[in-house]
Amino acid sequence: MTQLGLPDEILACLFDLDGVVTRTAVVHAAAWKEAFDAFLRERGGDQRPFDAVADYDEYVDGRPRADGVRTFLASRGIELPEGTPDDPPDAQTVNGLGNRKNALVLEKIRTEGVQPYDGTLRYIDAVRAAGLKTAIVSSSANTVDVLRSIHAEHLFDVRIDGVVARERALPGKPHPDTFLAAARDLGVDAARATVFEDALAGMDAGRSGSFGYVVGVDRVGQRDALYAHGADVVVDDLAELLTGPAGPATKGGAA
Protein backbone atom coordinates (compact mmCIF):
# COMPACT_ATOMS: atom_id res chain seq x y z
CA MET A 1 0.00 0.00 0.00
CA THR A 2 1.16 3.53 -0.78
CA GLN A 3 1.21 6.49 1.60
CA LEU A 4 -2.20 7.32 0.14
CA GLY A 5 -3.59 4.08 1.57
CA LEU A 6 -4.08 2.63 -1.92
CA PRO A 7 -2.65 -0.40 -3.73
CA ASP A 8 0.59 0.31 -5.59
CA GLU A 9 -0.98 -0.23 -9.02
CA ILE A 10 -3.58 2.55 -8.67
CA LEU A 11 -3.13 5.43 -11.15
CA ALA A 12 -6.44 7.33 -10.81
CA CYS A 13 -8.94 8.33 -8.13
CA LEU A 14 -12.65 8.74 -8.93
CA PHE A 15 -14.53 10.77 -6.32
CA ASP A 16 -18.26 11.06 -5.72
CA LEU A 17 -19.35 14.61 -4.84
CA ASP A 18 -22.19 14.68 -2.29
CA GLY A 19 -21.10 13.15 0.99
CA VAL A 20 -17.51 12.59 -0.13
CA VAL A 21 -16.21 15.99 -1.26
CA THR A 22 -19.02 18.22 0.02
CA ARG A 23 -21.41 18.22 2.97
CA THR A 24 -24.44 18.36 0.70
CA ALA A 25 -25.91 14.89 1.24
CA VAL A 26 -27.99 16.18 4.17
CA VAL A 27 -29.22 19.07 2.01
CA HIS A 28 -30.29 16.66 -0.73
CA ALA A 29 -32.01 14.41 1.82
CA ALA A 30 -33.97 17.38 3.21
CA ALA A 31 -35.00 18.48 -0.28
CA TRP A 32 -36.14 14.98 -1.20
CA LYS A 33 -38.18 14.76 2.00
CA GLU A 34 -39.88 18.09 1.37
CA ALA A 35 -40.68 17.17 -2.24
CA PHE A 36 -41.87 13.61 -1.57
CA ASP A 37 -43.89 14.43 1.55
CA ALA A 38 -45.71 17.24 -0.26
CA PHE A 39 -46.45 14.89 -3.15
CA LEU A 40 -47.76 12.16 -0.83
CA ARG A 41 -49.99 14.66 1.01
CA GLU A 42 -51.39 15.95 -2.27
CA ARG A 43 -52.04 12.40 -3.43
CA GLY A 44 -53.91 11.46 -0.26
CA GLY A 45 -54.35 8.03 1.23
CA ASP A 46 -52.33 6.29 3.90
CA GLN A 47 -48.80 6.88 2.65
CA ARG A 48 -45.81 6.77 4.98
CA PRO A 49 -43.73 9.97 4.75
CA PHE A 50 -40.23 9.89 3.31
CA ASP A 51 -37.55 8.94 5.85
CA ALA A 52 -34.58 11.26 5.28
CA VAL A 53 -32.18 8.57 6.52
CA ALA A 54 -33.48 5.09 5.70
CA ASP A 55 -35.41 5.93 2.50
CA TYR A 56 -32.71 8.31 1.32
CA ASP A 57 -29.97 5.68 1.68
CA GLU A 58 -32.05 2.90 0.15
CA TYR A 59 -33.83 4.57 -2.75
CA VAL A 60 -32.27 7.86 -3.87
CA ASP A 61 -28.72 8.38 -2.58
CA GLY A 62 -26.24 8.33 -5.47
CA ARG A 63 -28.87 7.71 -8.14
CA PRO A 64 -29.79 10.03 -11.01
CA ARG A 65 -32.73 12.21 -10.02
CA ALA A 66 -35.39 10.47 -12.12
CA ASP A 67 -34.18 7.03 -11.00
CA GLY A 68 -34.50 8.14 -7.38
CA VAL A 69 -38.08 9.27 -7.98
CA ARG A 70 -39.04 5.99 -9.63
CA THR A 71 -37.31 3.82 -7.02
CA PHE A 72 -38.85 5.58 -4.03
CA LEU A 73 -42.35 5.72 -5.52
CA ALA A 74 -42.13 2.01 -6.37
CA SER A 75 -41.46 1.34 -2.66
CA ARG A 76 -44.84 2.95 -1.97
CA GLY A 77 -46.59 1.16 -4.83
CA ILE A 78 -46.94 4.34 -6.90
CA GLU A 79 -46.32 4.80 -10.61
CA LEU A 80 -46.25 8.11 -12.45
CA PRO A 81 -45.95 8.95 -16.14
CA GLU A 82 -42.41 9.87 -17.12
CA GLY A 83 -43.14 13.30 -18.55
CA THR A 84 -40.18 15.20 -19.99
CA PRO A 85 -37.08 16.84 -18.46
CA ASP A 86 -38.71 20.24 -19.03
CA ASP A 87 -41.79 19.47 -16.91
CA PRO A 88 -42.61 22.19 -14.34
CA PRO A 89 -42.06 21.32 -10.66
CA ASP A 90 -45.80 20.94 -10.04
CA ALA A 91 -46.30 18.37 -12.82
CA GLN A 92 -47.53 14.97 -11.61
CA THR A 93 -44.78 13.14 -13.48
CA VAL A 94 -41.45 11.52 -12.65
CA ASN A 95 -39.59 14.44 -14.18
CA GLY A 96 -41.87 17.01 -12.60
CA LEU A 97 -41.34 15.59 -9.12
CA GLY A 98 -37.60 15.41 -9.75
CA ASN A 99 -37.59 19.03 -10.86
CA ARG A 100 -39.50 20.00 -7.70
CA LYS A 101 -36.72 18.44 -5.65
CA ASN A 102 -34.04 20.16 -7.72
CA ALA A 103 -35.62 23.57 -7.23
CA LEU A 104 -35.71 22.94 -3.49
CA VAL A 105 -32.08 21.81 -3.27
CA LEU A 106 -30.86 24.78 -5.32
CA GLU A 107 -32.70 27.13 -2.97
CA LYS A 108 -31.20 25.39 0.07
CA ILE A 109 -27.70 25.58 -1.40
CA ARG A 110 -28.23 29.26 -2.26
CA THR A 111 -29.45 30.16 1.24
CA GLU A 112 -27.37 27.75 3.34
CA GLY A 113 -24.21 27.51 1.23
CA VAL A 114 -22.00 24.48 0.62
CA GLN A 115 -19.19 23.28 2.84
CA PRO A 116 -16.43 20.88 1.77
CA TYR A 117 -14.98 18.07 3.84
CA ASP A 118 -11.54 19.42 4.71
CA GLY A 119 -10.10 15.91 5.06
CA THR A 120 -11.18 15.10 1.51
CA LEU A 121 -9.60 18.25 0.07
CA ARG A 122 -6.41 17.47 1.95
CA TYR A 123 -6.46 13.94 0.58
CA ILE A 124 -7.06 15.10 -3.01
CA ASP A 125 -4.14 17.50 -2.71
CA ALA A 126 -1.95 14.57 -1.63
CA VAL A 127 -3.27 12.41 -4.48
CA ARG A 128 -2.43 15.05 -7.08
CA ALA A 129 0.96 15.74 -5.52
CA ALA A 130 1.72 12.03 -5.91
CA GLY A 131 0.96 12.25 -9.63
CA LEU A 132 -2.33 10.37 -9.69
CA LYS A 133 -5.16 11.49 -11.96
CA THR A 134 -8.49 12.61 -10.52
CA ALA A 135 -12.12 12.70 -11.60
CA ILE A 136 -15.38 13.85 -10.04
CA VAL A 137 -18.25 11.43 -10.70
CA SER A 138 -21.70 12.54 -9.58
CA SER A 139 -25.32 12.06 -10.56
CA SER A 140 -25.92 15.75 -9.78
CA ALA A 141 -26.61 18.16 -12.61
CA ASN A 142 -25.36 20.95 -10.32
CA THR A 143 -21.80 19.63 -9.94
CA VAL A 144 -20.05 22.54 -11.64
CA ASP A 145 -21.88 25.12 -9.52
CA VAL A 146 -21.11 23.24 -6.32
CA LEU A 147 -17.41 22.81 -7.15
CA ARG A 148 -17.10 26.48 -8.06
CA SER A 149 -18.75 27.48 -4.79
CA ILE A 150 -15.97 25.74 -2.83
CA HIS A 151 -13.22 26.73 -5.32
CA ALA A 152 -12.45 23.08 -6.10
CA GLU A 153 -13.10 22.83 -9.84
CA HIS A 154 -9.35 22.75 -10.57
CA LEU A 155 -8.83 19.63 -8.43
CA PHE A 156 -10.32 17.29 -11.04
CA ASP A 157 -8.94 16.36 -14.45
CA VAL A 158 -12.28 14.92 -15.61
CA ARG A 159 -15.93 15.56 -14.72
CA ILE A 160 -18.69 13.00 -15.29
CA ASP A 161 -21.90 14.39 -13.78
CA GLY A 162 -25.61 14.36 -14.44
CA VAL A 163 -25.23 16.70 -17.41
CA VAL A 164 -22.50 14.62 -19.07
CA ALA A 165 -24.32 11.37 -18.31
CA ARG A 166 -27.42 12.65 -20.04
CA GLU A 167 -25.43 13.82 -23.07
CA ARG A 168 -23.72 10.43 -23.38
CA ALA A 169 -26.80 8.36 -22.40
CA LEU A 170 -24.92 6.79 -19.48
CA PRO A 171 -27.04 4.92 -16.93
CA GLY A 172 -26.44 6.11 -13.40
CA LYS A 173 -25.42 4.34 -10.22
CA PRO A 174 -25.75 1.52 -9.20
CA HIS A 175 -24.59 0.86 -12.78
CA PRO A 176 -20.84 1.43 -13.15
CA ASP A 177 -21.03 3.34 -16.45
CA THR A 178 -20.30 6.84 -15.13
CA PHE A 179 -17.24 5.66 -13.22
CA LEU A 180 -16.08 3.62 -16.23
CA ALA A 181 -16.49 6.70 -18.43
CA ALA A 182 -14.36 8.73 -16.02
CA ALA A 183 -11.60 6.10 -16.09
CA ARG A 184 -11.70 6.01 -19.90
CA ASP A 185 -11.52 9.80 -20.11
CA LEU A 186 -8.47 9.69 -17.85
CA GLY A 187 -6.90 6.99 -20.02
CA VAL A 188 -6.77 4.48 -17.16
CA ASP A 189 -8.08 0.91 -16.94
CA ALA A 190 -10.75 0.37 -14.29
CA ALA A 191 -8.46 -2.14 -12.57
CA ARG A 192 -6.01 0.70 -11.91
CA ALA A 193 -8.59 3.18 -10.59
CA THR A 194 -10.10 3.67 -7.13
CA VAL A 195 -13.72 4.63 -6.47
CA PHE A 196 -14.50 6.83 -3.44
CA GLU A 197 -18.18 6.70 -2.45
CA ASP A 198 -20.49 7.18 0.53
CA ALA A 199 -23.64 5.79 -1.13
CA LEU A 200 -24.62 2.12 -1.26
CA ALA A 201 -25.51 2.55 -4.93
CA GLY A 202 -21.98 3.86 -5.49
CA MET A 203 -20.51 0.82 -3.76
CA ASP A 204 -22.52 -1.40 -6.09
CA ALA A 205 -21.17 0.56 -9.07
CA GLY A 206 -17.60 0.15 -7.88
CA ARG A 207 -18.02 -3.56 -7.35
CA SER A 208 -19.77 -4.29 -10.65
CA GLY A 209 -17.27 -2.16 -12.59
CA SER A 210 -14.33 -4.30 -11.40
CA PHE A 211 -12.37 -1.30 -10.19
CA GLY A 212 -9.02 -1.88 -8.57
CA TYR A 213 -10.05 -0.56 -5.17
CA VAL A 214 -13.28 0.77 -3.64
CA VAL A 215 -13.21 3.12 -0.65
CA GLY A 216 -16.39 3.58 1.36
CA VAL A 217 -16.81 6.84 3.27
CA ASP A 218 -19.08 6.36 6.27
CA ARG A 219 -20.84 9.63 7.06
CA VAL A 220 -24.03 8.21 8.58
CA GLY A 221 -23.05 5.06 10.50
CA GLN A 222 -23.47 2.46 7.75
CA ARG A 223 -19.99 0.89 7.83
CA ASP A 224 -21.25 -2.71 7.69
CA ALA A 225 -23.58 -1.94 4.79
CA LEU A 226 -20.74 -0.27 2.83
CA TYR A 227 -18.63 -3.38 3.26
CA ALA A 228 -21.57 -5.60 2.30
CA HIS A 229 -22.04 -3.59 -0.90
CA GLY A 230 -18.43 -3.99 -2.01
CA ALA A 231 -16.08 -1.63 -0.16
CA ASP A 232 -12.47 -2.79 0.21
CA VAL A 233 -11.99 -0.35 3.08
CA VAL A 234 -14.31 1.99 4.98
CA VAL A 235 -13.19 5.22 6.67
CA ASP A 236 -14.99 8.05 8.41
CA ASP A 237 -12.78 10.63 6.69
CA LEU A 238 -10.41 10.30 3.73
CA ALA A 239 -7.56 11.84 5.72
CA GLU A 240 -7.46 8.53 7.61
CA LEU A 241 -5.98 6.93 4.50
CA LEU A 242 -2.89 9.13 4.61
CA THR A 243 0.23 7.70 6.23
CA GLY A 244 3.58 9.20 7.10
CA PRO A 245 3.96 12.96 7.56
CA ALA A 246 0.86 13.71 5.52
CA GLY A 247 -1.55 12.39 8.13
CA PRO A 248 -2.60 9.58 10.49
CA ALA A 249 -2.60 5.93 9.51
CA THR A 250 -5.82 4.39 8.30
CA LYS A 251 -8.19 3.08 10.97
CA GLY A 252 -10.31 1.01 8.60
CA GLY A 253 -7.94 -1.59 7.22
CA ALA A 254 -8.72 -3.69 4.18
CA ALA A 255 -11.71 -6.00 4.30
Side-chain angles (χ1 to χ4, degrees), residues 153-186:
E153 199 175 9
H154 67 287
L155 294 177
F156 304 99
D157 303 307
V158 161
R159 170 180 54 86
I160 303 292
D161 62 1
V163 175
V164 175
R166 182 178 173 186
E167 291 172 349
R168 299 190 191 180
L170 299 172
K173 309 164 194 177
H175 301 285
D177 300 64
T178 51
F179 282 117
L180 291 171
R184 283 195 301 271
D185 285 4
L186 290 171

Coordinates of all heavy atoms in Angstrom, one line a residue, residues 153-186:
E153 N -13.0 23.3 -8.5 CA -13.1 22.8 -9.8 C -11.8 22.4 -10.4 O -11.7 21.4 -11.2 CB -13.7 23.9 -10.7 CG -14.3 23.4 -12.0 CD -15.0 24.5 -12.8 OE1 -14.8 25.7 -12.4 OE2 -15.7 24.2 -13.8
H154 N -10.7 23.0 -10.0 CA -9.3 22.7 -10.6 C -8.8 21.4 -10.0 O -7.7 21.0 -10.5 CB -8.4 23.9 -10.2 CG -8.1 24.0 -8.7 ND1 -9.0 24.5 -7.8 CD2 -7.0 23.6 -8.0 CE1 -8.5 24.4 -6.6 NE2 -7.3 23.9 -6.7
L155 N -9.4 20.8 -9.0 CA -8.8 19.6 -8.4 C -9.1 18.4 -9.2 O -8.6 17.3 -8.9 CB -9.4 19.4 -7.0 CG -9.0 20.5 -6.0 CD1 -9.7 20.2 -4.7 CD2 -7.5 20.6 -5.8
F156 N -9.9 18.5 -10.3 CA -10.3 17.3 -11.0 C -10.0 17.4 -12.5 O -10.3 18.4 -13.2 CB -11.8 17.1 -10.8 CG -12.2 16.9 -9.4 CD1 -12.7 18.0 -8.7 CD2 -12.0 15.8 -8.7 CE1 -13.0 17.9 -7.4 CE2 -12.3 15.6 -7.4 CZ -12.8 16.7 -6.7
D157 N -9.3 16.4 -13.0 CA -8.9 16.4 -14.4 C -10.1 16.1 -15.4 O -10.1 16.5 -16.5 CB -7.9 15.3 -14.7 CG -6.6 15.5 -13.8 OD1 -6.1 16.6 -13.8 OD2 -6.2 14.6 -13.1
V158 N -11.1 15.4 -14.8 CA -12.3 14.9 -15.6 C -13.5 15.1 -14.8 O -13.5 14.9 -13.5 CB -12.1 13.4 -16.1 CG1 -13.4 12.8 -16.4 CG2 -11.1 13.3 -17.2
R159 N -14.6 15.5 -15.4 CA -15.9 15.6 -14.7 C -16.9 14.7 -15.5 O -17.2 14.9 -16.7 CB -16.4 17.0 -14.7 CG -17.9 17.2 -14.2 CD -18.3 18.6 -14.1 NE -18.1 19.4 -15.4 CZ -18.9 19.4 -16.4 NH1 -20.1 18.7 -16.3 NH2 -18.7 20.1 -17.5
I160 N -17.5 13.8 -14.8 CA -18.7 13.0 -15.3 C -19.8 13.2 -14.3 O -19.8 12.7 -13.2 CB -18.4 11.5 -15.4 CG1 -17.2 11.2 -16.3 CG2 -19.6 10.8 -16.0 CD1 -17.4 11.6 -17.8
D161 N -20.8 14.1 -14.7 CA -21.9 14.4 -13.8 C -23.2 14.1 -14.5 O -23.3 13.5 -15.5 CB -21.8 15.8 -13.3 CG -21.9 16.8 -14.4 OD1 -22.0 16.4 -15.6 OD2 -21.8 18.1 -14.2
G162 N -24.3 14.6 -13.9 CA -25.6 14.4 -14.4 C -25.8 14.9 -15.8 O -26.5 14.4 -16.7
V163 N -25.1 16.1 -16.1 CA -25.2 16.7 -17.4 C -24.5 15.8 -18.5 O -25.0 15.6 -19.5 CB -24.6 18.1 -17.4 CG1 -24.6 18.7 -18.8 CG2 -25.4 19.0 -16.4
V164 N -23.3 15.4 -18.1 CA -22.5 14.6 -19.1 C -23.2 13.3 -19.3 O -23.2 12.7 -20.4 CB -21.1 14.5 -18.6 CG1 -20.3 13.5 -19.5 CG2 -20.4 15.8 -18.5
A165 N -23.7 12.7 -18.2 CA -24.3 11.4 -18.3 C -25.5 11.4 -19.2 O -25.7 10.5 -20.0 CB -24.7 10.9 -16.9
R166 N -26.3 12.5 -19.1 CA -27.4 12.7 -20.0 C -27.0 12.8 -21.5 O -27.5 12.2 -22.4 CB -28.3 13.8 -19.6 CG -29.5 14.1 -20.4 CD -30.3 15.2 -19.9 NE -31.4 15.6 -20.8 CZ -32.2 16.6 -20.6 NH1 -32.0 17.4 -19.5 NH2 -33.2 16.9 -21.4
E167 N -25.9 13.6 -21.7 CA -25.4 13.8 -23.1 C -24.9 12.5 -23.7 O -25.1 12.3 -24.9 CB -24.3 14.8 -23.0 CG -24.7 16.3 -22.7 CD -23.6 17.2 -22.5 OE1 -22.4 16.7 -22.4 OE2 -23.8 18.4 -22.5
R168 N -24.3 11.7 -22.9 CA -23.7 10.4 -23.4 C -24.6 9.2 -23.2 O -24.3 8.1 -23.5 CB -22.4 10.1 -22.7 CG -21.3 11.2 -22.9 CD -20.0 10.7 -22.3 NE -19.0 11.8 -22.2 CZ -17.8 11.6 -21.8 NH1 -17.4 10.4 -21.4 NH2 -16.9 12.6 -21.7
A169 N -25.8 9.4 -22.7 CA -26.8 8.4 -22.4 C -26.2 7.3 -21.5 O -26.3 6.1 -21.8 CB -27.3 7.8 -23.7
L170 N -25.5 7.7 -20.4 CA -24.9 6.8 -19.5 C -25.9 6.5 -18.4 O -26.4 7.4 -17.7 CB -23.6 7.4 -18.9 CG -22.5 7.8 -19.8 CD1 -21.4 8.5 -19.1 CD2 -21.9 6.5 -20.4
P171 N -26.2 5.2 -18.1 CA -27.0 4.9 -16.9 C -26.3 5.3 -15.7 O -25.1 5.2 -15.6 CB -27.3 3.4 -17.1 CG -26.2 2.9 -17.9 CD -25.8 4.0 -18.8
G172 N -27.1 5.7 -14.7 CA -26.4 6.1 -13.4 C -26.2 5.0 -12.4 O -26.5 3.8 -12.7
K173 N -25.6 5.3 -11.3 CA -25.4 4.3 -10.2 C -26.8 3.7 -9.8 O -27.8 4.4 -9.8 CB -24.8 5.0 -9.0 CG -23.5 5.8 -9.4 CD -23.1 6.8 -8.2 CE -22.1 7.8 -8.7 NZ -21.8 8.8 -7.7
P174 N -26.8 2.5 -9.5 CA -25.7 1.5 -9.2 C -25.0 0.9 -10.4 O -24.1 0.1 -10.2 CB -26.5 0.4 -8.4 CG -27.8 0.4 -9.0 CD -28.2 1.8 -9.3
H175 N -25.4 1.3 -11.6 CA -24.6 0.9 -12.8 C -23.2 1.5 -12.7 O -23.1 2.7 -12.3 CB -25.3 1.2 -14.1 CG -26.7 0.6 -14.2 ND1 -26.9 -0.7 -14.5 CD2 -27.9 1.2 -14.0 CE1 -28.2 -1.0 -14.5 NE2 -28.8 0.2 -14.2
P176 N -22.2 0.9 -13.2 CA -20.8 1.4 -13.2 C -20.5 2.4 -14.3 O -19.3 2.9 -14.3 CB -20.0 0.2 -13.2 CG -20.7 -0.7 -14.1 CD -22.2 -0.5 -13.8
D177 N -21.4 2.7 -15.2 CA -21.0 3.3 -16.5 C -20.4 4.7 -16.3 O -19.5 5.1 -17.0 CB -22.3 3.4 -17.3 CG -22.8 2.1 -17.7 OD1 -23.3 1.4 -16.8 OD2 -22.9 1.7 -18.9
T178 N -20.9 5.5 -15.3 CA -20.3 6.8 -15.1 C -18.9 6.8 -14.6 O -18.0 7.5 -15.1 CB -21.2 7.7 -14.2 OG1 -21.4 7.0 -13.0 CG2 -22.5 8.1 -14.9
F179 N -18.6 5.8 -13.7 CA -17.2 5.7 -13.2 C -16.3 5.1 -14.3 O -15.2 5.5 -14.5 CB -17.2 4.7 -12.0 CG -17.6 5.4 -10.7 CD1 -18.8 4.9 -10.1 CD2 -16.9 6.4 -10.2 CE1 -19.2 5.5 -8.9 CE2 -17.3 7.0 -9.0 CZ -18.4 6.5 -8.3
L180 N -16.9 4.2 -15.1 CA -16.1 3.6 -16.2 C -15.8 4.7 -17.2 O -14.7 4.8 -17.8 CB -16.8 2.5 -16.9 CG -17.0 1.2 -16.0 CD1 -17.9 0.2 -16.7 CD2 -15.6 0.5 -15.8
A181 N -16.7 5.6 -17.5 CA -16.5 6.7 -18.4 C -15.4 7.6 -17.9 O -14.5 8.1 -18.7 CB -17.8 7.5 -18.7
A182 N -15.4 7.9 -16.6 CA -14.4 8.7 -16.0 C -13.0 8.1 -16.2 O -12.0 8.8 -16.5 CB -14.7 9.0 -14.5
A183 N -12.9 6.8 -15.9 CA -11.6 6.1 -16.1 C -11.1 6.2 -17.5 O -10.0 6.4 -17.8 CB -11.7 4.7 -15.6
R184 N -12.1 5.9 -18.5 CA -11.7 6.0 -19.9 C -11.2 7.4 -20.3 O -10.2 7.6 -21.0 CB -12.9 5.6 -20.8 CG -13.2 4.1 -20.8 CD -14.1 3.8 -22.0 NE -15.4 4.5 -21.9 CZ -16.5 4.0 -21.2 NH1 -16.4 2.8 -20.6 NH2 -17.6 4.7 -21.2
D185 N -11.9 8.4 -19.8 CA -11.5 9.8 -20.1 C -10.1 10.1 -19.5 O -9.4 11.0 -20.1 CB -12.6 10.8 -19.6 CG -13.8 10.8 -20.5 OD1 -13.9 10.0 -21.4 OD2 -14.7 11.6 -20.2
L186 N -9.8 9.5 -18.4 CA -8.5 9.7 -17.8 C -7.4 8.8 -18.5 O -6.2 9.0 -18.2 CB -8.5 9.4 -16.3 CG -9.3 10.4 -15.5 CD1 -9.4 9.8 -14.0 CD2 -8.6 11.7 -15.4

